[in-house]
Amino acid sequence: MQDVRLDNHHSGFGLGSPTPRVSWKISEAPSDWRQSGYELAIADLDDGQDIAEVRVHGDEQVLVPWPVDPLTSRARRSVRVRVVGSGTHGESLSDWSEPALVEAGLLTDGDWRATWIESAHDDGLADGPALMFRRVFAVREGMVRARLYLTARGVYEAEINGQVVGDEVLAPGWTSYNARLRYQAHDVTALLAEGMNAIGVTVADGWYRGHLGYRGGRRNVYGDYGSLLAQLEVVYLDGSMETLASDETWTTSTGAVRSSGLYAGETCDGRKAQPDWSRASFREAGWTAAVSSTALGPPLVAAEHPPVRRTQELTPVGVKEVAPGVWLVDVGQNIAGRIRLRTAGPPGTVVRLQHAEVLQDGRLYRRPLRFADATDEWILAGTAEAETFEPRFTYHGFRYAEISGLARPLGAGDVVAVVVGTDLVRTGTFESSHPLLDAFHRNVVWSMRGNFVDIPTDCPQRDERLGWLGDNAFFAPAATYLFDVNTTMASWLADVAIEHRTLGIVPAYVPWLGLEDPPLAPIAGFGDGAVLIPWTMYERFGDIEALERQYSSMCAWVDQVADIAGATHLWDRGFQLGDWLDPLAPPEDPSRGTTDPALIATAFHYRTTLTVAMAAEALGRSDDAMRYASRAEAIRTAFLRRFISGGRLTPETQTGYSLAIVFGLLQSPADLREAGDALVSLVRARRHRIGTGFIGTPLVADALTIVGAHEDAYRLVLQTASPSWLYAVTMGATTVWERWDSLRPDGSVNPGQMTSFNHYSLGSVADWLHRVMLGIAPAAPGYRRVTIEPRVGPGIADVQGSLDSPYGPIAVAWHVLEGRFDVTVDLPIGIEGTLRLPQGGGEMTIGPGRHSATCPVEVGAATEATA
Ligand code: BGC
């Protein structure tokens, strides 16, 4: 038994739910063993007393209900699990698991004694100095534990007695702040000591009031003043609790951080630092009393998904002086993060760090950043032999940095690149015999790291970094094969539903900023994310409660589109983004793709309506299920009448056929065959170069697979000429680009406005790599059942990979040699599977344990793979 988890919470500490569900994985049992029941032992961590041992009959092991009374705020419990089951060796009872420790956060508004405080040093404008708040307090003898609950309107970092609290970055993260704001809970026992102590919290602009959005964007989106809410609770041996809550007895000032913007970068003046300001011994000069905020605090929610952290450090692969006093640093990898720099110099030395994803003529090329300055400025205090600087309230999307203004040459070891992002647990791997394909897969993983910075974003470098629903809807299936995104997505989807309710329609990105372009209008493929993403999450993680929470938003979305479509069932009016970034669209207008926007929109309308019918079915709402299924059928009929004739589309595009085939719009075998032939001809006519934008890219390899054109799917995926997935790899990409040709074959950067080098969207084909090429496909929610069905094709002789599913690791390894296909599959306890061999080689039911199978296959010549 391993990995007992509570409600998918990343740590179990500071839970926001009074009835957390419990999940476990069973690591050791004979392969014919099946769980028939489980016992949960819950104990009170405070008095060590057992609360209950509950026995339940059943084979569930994922998200089972909390078995005892709901938790109250601050309640601390240990949860142990043991399972009973049987196999050929008879019935057996496992040992108890290691205890999972649970501690509830502050579950009700009444738990908060803290008040929101602001600073007189704040002029109410963005881009000013970060605010510092501090308070000295006494801790008596006999402290048992201490907890700090806090959040900010801005982004914050807390310190106690000179030490940073926790390891989170950019807390509290970004939610739709008007509707809900996360607070964080920390165990700070080890930071406190008997006697006088001090707490200090720095609050910078962040998403709350900093610059957000393109074409100048907006500032002060959520409010004018930065503010802090903090509550420190100290529990003593005698059971008493003392609370230190933010109020007007705290004092405020400003220090080294003179300004910090997510896009702009950070300016730090070491001469203005106030050393030791979070220690009790610090002598305040010029500090003023904090003032209670008049702005109403938004509802608070516990932070449950993994926080943003410094997840890795990279040593640069190159550091050289490219002009007198200008040092170019090559991190070797395009990342979201920042540079940590060590240097020394006289007081007032101004060091500048500029960032970019690419070089042109050996120097930074920063036009694609648009209005994001991505420049950190560091003014040395000049007091120490060596000073270290890393900005704390910003991040950049970059591979290269230019550092200037140094008083001494940059030495090896002076620069480290710090990767910043949501600290997601990696769950899936993929490796093949094709080095370029593996490099592409690594790039997809890096683009995911760079674009999960609390919320899932489009890109990490320019004046954008927004939660575009389209990008996410297209990439979400791939994301679920790479990292455990369940709670991260659940948090963001909560905001999708909230914004939907508040604005009346699903906006193109969430949190919504109200920028002019695109308009607040239903957009196919984007608004549809409100339906498709929750369904993907349900399919991959099996959390029915998460689906339930999105359900009313899902229904409202398809109903709204149905109103637009009216009696024709065709969604053929209103603003659309089309097959965004279709390689045949003009560079200056990515929405002018070759596929009819009405075809795209109506296809999505069908797919989302059908998905809502499936969700209704899963949730036991059979009336809804029938109603949506019959509406879906009417949309399908309308689609066929308007867009298809004898299985053919006009105009014919890869995206159009992919939509029709993958979304299930073509149900007559004759139409499917005709459309399949047409798609294959189109793909061959382009000599296996891709012809799809954001809409068609996640679908085209699947469409070819569905119509049995495995060879063409392989040739398309392994293509290296532009445009193709692997083209970027041959051009030295270390992340997935926004455009097929962000860097053009002649080495110049695409002149279009949309030229990011770190967008996960076109990496969506990674879903196909895992699900079809490797062959691990969910057959029941959360992989309770799995279909293992690898498809072979020219150019690839070996594939291996795994997925740590909610039940445990599923692994597949296959290879093709001299006309034989061999596969080995491992399934964990709790999963039943079907193994289907390629080319009609046989099918078998498999259970937990290891299985091997073989069959003859024929694949096209490998050398032609990229022709
Ligand atoms: C984003 C895209 C997004 C698009 C839609 C862009 O600025 O970067 O990824 O899908 O806008 O308009």
Side-chain angles (χ1 to χ4, degrees):
M1 179 95 52
Q2 59 183 24
D3 195 14
V4 176
R5 302 203 303 168
L6 287 128
D7 231 353
N8 297 321
H9 188 280
H10 70 101
S11 72
F13 184 85
L15 280 178
S17 164
T19 52
R21 293 162 300 161
V22 187
S23 310
W24 57 90
K25 293 174 181 171
I26 300 164
S27 49
E28 273 174 44
S31 60
D32 64 344
W33 185 92
R34 299 290 179 276
Q35 178 186 309
S36 58
Y38 60 86
E39 294 177 31
L40 297 175
I42 316 282
D44 189 322
L45 279 175
D46 289 325
D47 58 17
Q49 299 292 311
D50 288 345
I51 294 179
E53 252 185 55
V54 181
R55 270 169 212 208
V56 180
H57 185 72
D59 58 1
E60 282 310 323
Q61 63 183 89
V62 172
L63 297 169
V64 308
W66 181 248
V68 292
D69 288 346
L71 299 170
T72 52
S73 294
R74 312 176 183 87
R76 303 182 332 120
R77 304 281 182 265
S78 79
V79 179
R80 289 176 305 143
V81 181
R82 68 177 172 183
V83 291
V84 61
S86 53
T88 42
H89 298 293
E91 184 153 288
S92 60
L93 184 66
S94 75
D95 292 338
W96 285 106
S97 69
E98 286 297 307
L101 306 186
V102 183
E103 181 167 325
L106 301 184
L107 302 178
T108 67
D109 291 350
D111 293 316
W112 287 92
R113 287 181 39 203
T115 46
W116 281 102
I117 50 172
E118 296 171 357
S119 169
H121 301 269
D122 186 351
D123 59 10
L125 299 172
D127 308 325
L131 308 167
M132 289 151 68
F133 296 87
R134 78 183 288 273
R135 175 71 151 78
V136 174
F137 59 98
V139 171
R140 286 189 280 120
E141 189 188 342
M143 175 184 67
V144 184
R145 63 176 176 274
R147 302 291 184 253
L148 175 62
Y149 306 97
L150 81 170
T151 186
R153 288 186 278 198
V155 286
Y156 72 85
E157 187 183 85
E159 299 173 27
I160 289 179
N161 297 329
Q163 286 191 56
V164 173
V165 175
D167 54 5
E168 300 191 15
V169 171
L170 300 175
W174 192 12
T175 48
S176 297
Y177 288 146
N178 294 328
R180 51 184 214 118
L181 175 65
R182 291 190 206 109
Y183 70 88
Q184 281 72 31
H186 293 278
D187 178 353
V188 293
T189 318
L191 300 180
L192 297 183
E194 194 186 320
M196 296 314 286
N197 293 262
I199 178 170
V201 186
T202 307
V203 178
D205 289 352
W207 296 279
Y208 183 76
R209 67 164 173 179
H211 176 193
L212 292 178
Y214 36 85
R215 290 195 207 111
R218 292 183 59 194
R219 284 175 169 75
N220 299 90
V221 170
Y222 298 97
D224 292 333
Y225 293 92
S227 55
L228 168 72
L229 186 79
Q231 183 158 315
L232 177 71
E233 298 182 346
V234 183
V235 175
Y236 292 93
L237 269 176
D238 60 7
S240 63
M241 184 170 90
E242 279 176 5
T243 303
L244 175 82
S246 53
D247 61 17
E248 293 188 345
T249 65
W250 291 49
T251 52
T252 79
S253 181
T254 63
V257 182
R258 301 320 295 166
S259 71
S260 190
L262 292 166
Y263 302 160
E266 195 157 301
T267 297
C268 256
D269 188 341
R271 299 167 306 177
K272 293 203 155 68
Q274 304 208 39
D276 296 331
W277 69 285
S278 65
R279 291 183 192 278
S281 56
F282 177 73
R283 295 216 170 278
E284 294 184 359
W287 286 65
T288 56
V291 272
S292 294
S293 170
T294 49
L296 211 62
L300 298 175
V301 293
E304 300 212 292
H305 71 284
V308 177
R309 293 197 172 104
R310 298 170 177 88
T311 55
Q312 283 181 66
E313 292 190 355
L314 304 176
T315 308
V317 296
V319 176
K320 65 174 177 211
E321 198 172 6
V322 284
V326 182
W327 298 82
L328 177 73
V329 175
D330 177 1
V331 173
Q333 172 63 51
N334 199 19
I335 62 167
R338 48 221 193 179
I339 294 276
R340 190 167 68 228
L341 174 65
R342 188 184 59 191
T343 193
T349 306
V350 181
V351 178
R352 291 181 90 208
L353 298 94
Q354 292 199 299
H355 304 77
E357 295 184 292
V358 282
L359 302 179
Q360 295 276 264
D361 306 320
R363 299 295 299 271
L364 298 187
Y365 188 72
R366 288 162 46 85
R367 184 188 58 82
L369 306 183
R370 304 191 311 212
F371 289 106
D373 221 12
T375 301
D376 298 326
E377 209 164 70
W378 177 30
I379 304 162
L380 301 195
T383 46
E385 238 166 60
E387 298 173 52
T388 301
F389 167 76
E390 179 195 328
R392 289 178 295 161
F393 305 107
T394 187
Y395 72 97
H396 311 293
F398 71 103
R399 170 176 169 170
Y400 303 96
E402 278 187 10
I403 304 179
S404 57
L406 293 168
R408 70 175 197 198
L410 203 57
D414 286 344
V415 195
V416 173
V418 182
V419 180
V420 166
T422 306
D423 196 4
L424 297 167
V425 174
R426 182 79 189 266
T427 49
T429 61
F430 175 93
E431 270 175 297
S432 74
S433 52
H434 197 295
L436 290 180
L437 187 65
D438 288 6
F440 169 74
H441 191 272
R442 278 195 297 280
N443 291 357
V444 176
V445 172
W446 272 108
S447 278
M448 184 161 167
R449 286 194 185 110
N451 281 301
F452 275 72
V453 181
D454 197 53
I455 64 159
T457 66
D458 53 339
C459 54
Q461 73 298 86
R462 67 184 179 216
D463 49 357
E464 198 151 355
R465 316 180 196 188
L466 304 180
W468 290 93
L469 269 80
D471 303 43
N472 198 277
F474 313 137
F475 187 69
T480 66
Y481 277 118
L482 301 174
F483 291 91
D484 180 355
V485 290
N486 193 26
T487 49
T488 295
M489 296 294 282
S491 170
W492 179 68
L493 286 169
D495 288 328
V496 169
I498 286 170
E499 301 266 13
H500 185 182
R501 214 169 38 239
T502 322
L503 299 166
I505 55 171
V506 181
Y509 55 84
V510 166
W512 174 247
L513 301 176
L515 304 167
E516 271 168 32
D517 176 29
L520 183 58
I523 302 173
F526 284 73
D528 292 299
V531 172
L532 301 176
I533 304 167
W535 182 253
T536 299
M537 293 302 124
Y538 175 61
E539 185 181 69
R540 310 295 171 102
F541 297 101
D543 184 348
I544 191 84
E545 287 186 15
L547 187 67
E548 176 74 54
R549 285 198 296 273
Q550 300 305 127
Y551 183 70
S552 61
S553 157
M554 295 166 77
C555 294
W557 166 258
V558 294
D559 290 347
Q560 280 166 325
V561 177
D563 284 347
I564 298 170
T568 67
H569 296 295
L570 298 168
W571 185 5
D572 55 2
R573 65 211 81 154
F575 179 90
Q576 294 296 353
L577 289 165
D579 188 17
W580 185 254
L581 287 166
D582 176 337
L584 300 174
E588 69 287 357
D589 188 355
S591 70
R592 276 182 32 224
T594 49
T595 307
D596 180 358
L599 181 151
I600 295 172
T602 306
F604 269 94
H605 184 34
Y606 167 71
R607 185 61 176 188
T608 48
T609 307
L610 191 66
T611 304
V612 173
M614 295 190 288
E617 187 74 47
L619 292 166
R621 292 177 159 89
S622 34
D623 289 354
D624 283 6
M626 266 159 54
R627 192 157 47 88
Y628 286 111
S630 78
R631 191 194 292 167
E633 201 41 35
I635 302 166
R636 196 174 75 82
T637 309
F639 179 93
L640 294 181
R641 205 172 303 133
R642 165 80 179 266
F643 299 108
I644 304 272
S645 159
R648 294 273 167 167
L649 289 173
T650 8
E652 299 195 298
T653 64
Q654 291 186 15
T655 291
Y657 281 116
S658 299
L659 284 164
I661 293 167
V662 177
F663 282 5
L665 285 147
L666 302 173
Q667 290 178 3
S668 99
D671 276 1
L672 197 57
R673 202 172 326 110
E674 192 62 32
D677 289 349
L679 175 62
V680 168
S681 309
L682 282 180
V683 166
R684 289 185 185 165
R686 280 178 66 81
R687 306 219 319 281
H688 295 96
R689 286 178 176 80
I690 195 94
T692 55
F694 277 23
I695 296 279
T697 299
L699 307 174
V700 62
D702 256 314
L704 291 168
T705 304
I706 290 170
V707 302
H710 303 301
E711 251 188 74
D712 292 285
Y714 265 67
R715 290 187 202 286
L716 187 71
V717 168
L718 300 181
Q719 174 63 263
T720 53
S722 177
S724 67
W725 282 290
L726 301 192
Y727 162 71
V729 179
T730 66
M731 295 296 285
T734 60
T735 37
V736 178
W737 298 343
E738 177 175 27
R739 291 177 179 274
W740 294 113
D741 61 346
S742 281
L743 197 62
R744 299 191 294 191
D746 65 5
S748 64
V749 175
N750 190 301
Q753 276 280 307
M754 304 283 165
T755 307
S756 131
F757 289 83
N758 200 354
H759 249 67
Y760 52 49
S761 191
L762 298 181
S764 51
V765 71
D767 173 57
W768 183 89
L769 296 179
H770 287 257
R771 187 168 42 78
V772 177
M773 188 182 272
L774 177 62
I776 301 177
Y783 293 89
R784 191 77 164 117
R785 287 204 315 280
V786 64
T787 303
I788 307 292
E789 187 180 3
R791 271 62 146 224
V792 295
I796 304 271
D798 283 280
V799 177
Q800 52 184 301
S802 61
L803 174 69
D804 195 7
S805 77
Y807 296 87
I810 301 168
V812 175
W814 62 256
H815 72 268
V816 171
L817 186 66
E818 292 166 2
R820 280 216 81 73
F821 170 85
D822 285 290
V823 65
T824 307
V825 180
D826 290 287
L827 296 187
I829 301 284
I831 294 189
E832 301 294 326
T834 302
L835 171 59
R836 208 168 287 144
L837 300 178
Q839 302 178 1
E843 181 174 311
M844 62 207 79
T845 300
I846 53 174
R850 172 159 292 192
H851 311 270
S852 297
T854 180
C855 71
V857 283
E858 258 178 59
V859 290
T863 48
E864 293 166 27
T866 56

